[in-house]
Amino acid sequence: MKASEFVRKIMSGYLWANLAAMALVVILLGLGVRFGIDLYTHHGEEIVVPDIRHKAFSDASSVLEDVGLKVVVKDTGYVKTLPPDCILEQAPAAGEKVKSGRIVYVTINSPHTPTLTLPDVIDNSSLREAMAKLTSMGFKLGPPEYIAGEKDWVYGITVKGRHVVAGDRISVEETLVIQVGNGLRDAADSVDYIDPVYPEEMEEAEEGEVDEFEEVKAPPAAEPPAEKPTAEKKGSGE
């Protein structure tokens, strides 16, 4: 290729048009990425999270949707003084600044009282061990009821006068009463002791006793009959 032809191709409008188009595409792509990311991430946009605690779930959802936020139930709790489906906690907390579309996780009040499973402490632990285990699990305990039995040993648990056993589901609002031994023997468990009898006393008792049985003797044996004289004896006598 001659130099004149090479210069002519370089100076042609078709080549410069293609180069300009390519440059324009690169610029547009750069601007698109720049503003697209800002648009996707809501760059520079801030929304103050409203306080929705102690509001009904339906009302809280409407408040968050109005400001461009979403709500998702994360957990349930129980507060006796608050109505069911009431918002107990929220994350992010009220007053924090977030971007549009952010999810606010909430904990709502359960309509039912939570229950706990009674562990195996009856006739299996002392009063101190049972109280430590039950309180750590969240049970409410009343004053223990002392009954006859081994001191400080757990013999039973009652709820409103009703006996419960290991594995029963009990409301956290109920009060447990532990029946524990007071160290005294139950009257029903008393034993009647009999004084032992020693050999000397047995001999004295035998000497003083009178035999009320009459000895029965056998009748005397009958004597054999006398023999009669034979004819020879009679003849010789003559």
Side-chain angles (χ1 to χ4, degrees), residues 14 19 24 38 42 86 92 120 122 172 185 190 197 207 214 224:
Y14 179 76
L19 292 175
L24 181 61
D38 290 344
H42 302 282
C86 175
D120 186 14
I122 300 175
V172 295
R185 181 182 294 276
S190 61
V197 179
E207 292 177 358
E214 181 180 356

Side-chain angles (χ1 to χ4, degrees), residues 178-200:
I178 302 177
Q179 294 181 326
V180 60
N182 56 10
L184 301 178
R185 181 182 294 276
D186 191 352
D189 297 335
S190 61
V191 179
D192 295 331
Y193 293 96
I194 300 176
D195 294 334
V197 179
Y198 298 98
E200 295 80 1

Side-chain angles (χ1 to χ4, degrees), residues 116-164:
L116 298 173
T117 302
L118 185 69
D120 186 14
V121 295
I122 300 175
D123 203 20
N124 193 33
S125 59
S126 65
L127 174 62
R128 183 176 180 180
E129 294 171 344
M131 292 181 65
K133 189 168 187 178
L134 293 174
T135 52
S136 65
M137 294 179 63
F139 286 102
K140 294 172 59 178
L141 301 180
E145 176 186 356
Y146 288 91
I147 61 176
E150 184 179 347
K151 185 174 179 61
D152 292 336
W153 188 250
V154 175
Y155 286 96
I157 296 178
T158 62
V159 177
K160 293 182 178 179
R162 177 179 61 87
H163 282 274
V164 293

Side-chain angles (χ1 to χ4, degrees), residues 69-84:
L69 301 177
K70 300 178 182 179
V71 60
V72 172
V73 177
K74 178 184 67 173
D75 199 2
T76 58
Y78 181 75
V79 177
K80 187 176 181 180
T81 57
L82 295 177

